[in-house]
Amino acid sequence: MILFLLGCPGSGAADKSDEAWPEWEEPEAEDSGAPVEAAPEVEEEYDACEPESCIELAEAVDRGFATINYGLLYLKIDNAGPYPVCFEDWYVFTSDGSQDALAGIPGQSEIPAGGSLSLPYGLFDETRETWWCVEENQSTARSGSYDYDGARAPDRLFTFADTETDEDADLVEDHVDAEDEGLVRTQHNVWDEVQGEVLFLVGREMNWFDLSDTRSAAVALRVTNLGREGGTAMVSETLPPGWTPSAYDPEPVSVSRPGDGSTVIAWAVRLDGAVDGSSSSEPAEYDVASLRYTLDYENDCQAREQGFAPTARWTGIDGRPHDSEGSPLVIECCAPEEEFTGPEGTVP
């Protein structure tokens, strides 16, 4: 049974431990007088298809490593995968059964392999992840699950969550400016922006592809208008050298090649404003566009490559330019050694 909690959860300070590592001193090494030989350097073997550091959250979700759910008071991300997951930005998670969420951290952190991350509601702390409500009229459901397609928060929502503001000019910083129903001004700033603006999100149906067996992928950008006002955005996708696009649907307004070997695809996307659900248990209906193309991978199949994040730019109802971005496109292409290809064909 799903328990619906009307509105957003109340904010509160996160539990913090006062414990610290005990002080200790490293014993001084005894001087024997004999010369000390430097340890020989050992060259570590590196698998080119293994990530060098943490992977993007979008990749972890695409590969089935990470799941996002709402539990008791916390939005929780579980990482069941073999790699740590980066958490260093502001993301937008959506759910048909629960309150959509703006989640992130003013600083950066990562979720260890096999670990989890619990995000409390409504904090402003550079060392602690948090989340804010997006839909003013949608309930927060315990055990609600969330989708994530790689979309990062639009600039204005990012600003409200990430920086100190005083939108109502009352000389009280919005993250601590308590208002009605025990909610702070920052939450109302987010709701006001969603209600009164056009807010484009840009992600992908998949942000990670394994092209070891095939050198082609069907890529689909997903553009969503989170705001309740309609508008038009220029959405662009930049591909590195050796990544060749074709078979566009719909046709882009331009395909350019700056001269560095990259390719820039641009679409003009018009979307209507979102419509709130008729009750607190129904999600908002968003206008969504799919921008599809075929990607042919022409580089040597020997490595893991990370491309670029798609971007959306538009002029808001306020007359100012706005933008948002998605997550980098990642390709792994590591054929068996005997199938590696080089400039002169297959290398045995």
Side-chain angles (χ1 to χ4, degrees):
M1 179 180 67
I2 297 178
L3 175 63
F4 286 93
L5 307 176
L6 291 180
C8 286
S11 58
D15 293 335
K16 295 189 176 183
S17 173
D18 293 327
E19 295 181 1
W21 289 103
E23 295 183 0
W24 62 282
E25 294 182 358
E26 184 175 356
E28 296 182 1
E30 296 182 3
D31 186 2
S32 63
V36 178
E37 295 184 3
E41 294 186 1
V42 178
E43 184 175 344
E44 296 184 1
E45 294 185 2
Y46 175 69
D47 185 339
C49 262
E50 289 291 310
E52 296 185 43
S53 58
C54 58
I55 65 174
E56 291 281 339
L57 177 59
E59 177 184 345
V61 171
D62 287 348
R63 300 178 70 171
F65 296 158
T67 56
I68 306 165
N69 297 278
Y70 184 75
L72 182 61
L73 301 181
Y74 292 93
L75 191 69
K76 188 179 181 184
I77 303 173
D78 291 304
N79 176 19
Y83 313 116
V85 172
C86 309
F87 199 85
E88 53 191 13
D89 213 314
W90 287 90
Y91 313 87
V92 175
F93 305 144
T94 59
S95 174
D96 287 339
S98 188
Q99 169 70 239
D100 292 347
L102 166 67
I105 183 174
Q108 61 181 4
S109 65
E110 64 180 44
I111 310 169
S116 63
L117 181 66
S118 294
L119 286 70
Y121 167 78
L123 296 183
F124 183 61
D125 185 340
E126 291 186 357
T127 64
R128 186 68 191 267
E129 306 80 0
T130 189
W131 73 278
W132 298 90
C133 296
V134 171
E135 298 170 280
E136 186 172 5
N137 298 323
Q138 169 84 22
S139 299
T140 305
R142 187 177 299 176
S143 301
S145 61
Y146 286 81
D147 298 318
Y148 180 57
D149 63 5
R152 311 292 176 93
D155 54 356
R156 284 280 285 172
L157 298 190
F158 175 97
T159 298
F160 291 140
D162 195 66
T163 63
E164 294 183 351
T165 59
D166 183 16
E167 288 294 303
D168 57 0
D170 64 351
L171 302 182
V172 180
E173 203 282 319
D174 290 337
H175 290 87
V176 295
D177 189 0
E179 297 200 351
D180 59 300
E181 300 178 355
L183 301 175
V184 296
R185 183 68 235 171
T186 296
Q187 179 61 79
H188 290 281
N189 291 341
V190 172
W191 283 338
D192 291 347
E193 189 74 8
V194 170
Q195 288 294 330
E197 266 293 354
V198 50
L199 296 170
F200 285 93
L201 304 177
V202 55
R204 299 188 189 88
E205 290 182 3
M206 288 289 291
N207 294 274
W208 171 86
F209 293 93
D210 184 352
L211 301 185
S212 300
D213 296 325
T214 176
R215 303 295 187 267
S216 181
V219 182
L221 275 68
R222 178 184 294 149
V223 186
T224 304
N225 183 7
L226 194 69
R228 273 49 177 173
E229 297 290 338
T232 300
M234 291 300 299
V235 178
S236 64
E237 172 89 298
T238 301
L239 301 179
W243 299 20
T244 303
S246 62
Y248 307 102
D249 181 23
E251 284 293 322
V253 296
S254 67
V255 178
S256 59
R257 293 173 175 81
D260 58 359
S262 65
T263 303
V264 181
I265 317 163
W267 293 268
V269 179
R270 166 75 191 184
L271 294 176
D272 293 333
V275 178
D276 288 313
S278 58
S279 72
S280 62
S281 61
E282 294 184 7
E285 294 183 7
Y286 298 118
D287 197 7
V288 181
S290 294
L291 309 176
R292 302 179 181 275
Y293 65 93
T294 298
L295 170 64
D296 292 315
Y297 181 76
E298 298 175 351
N299 294 332
D300 291 346
C301 190
Q302 303 180 35
R304 169 188 169 89
E305 295 186 37
Q306 180 168 297
F308 304 97
T311 61
R313 294 183 172 86
W314 67 94
T315 299
I317 303 301
D318 58 9
R320 296 187 294 181
H322 295 280
D323 64 81
S324 66
E325 67 175 22
S327 298
L329 187 60
V330 178
I331 285 178
E332 288 188 2
C333 191
C334 290
E337 185 173 353
E338 62 273 12
E339 295 182 11
F340 281 171
T341 58
E344 299 180 358
T346 301
V347 178

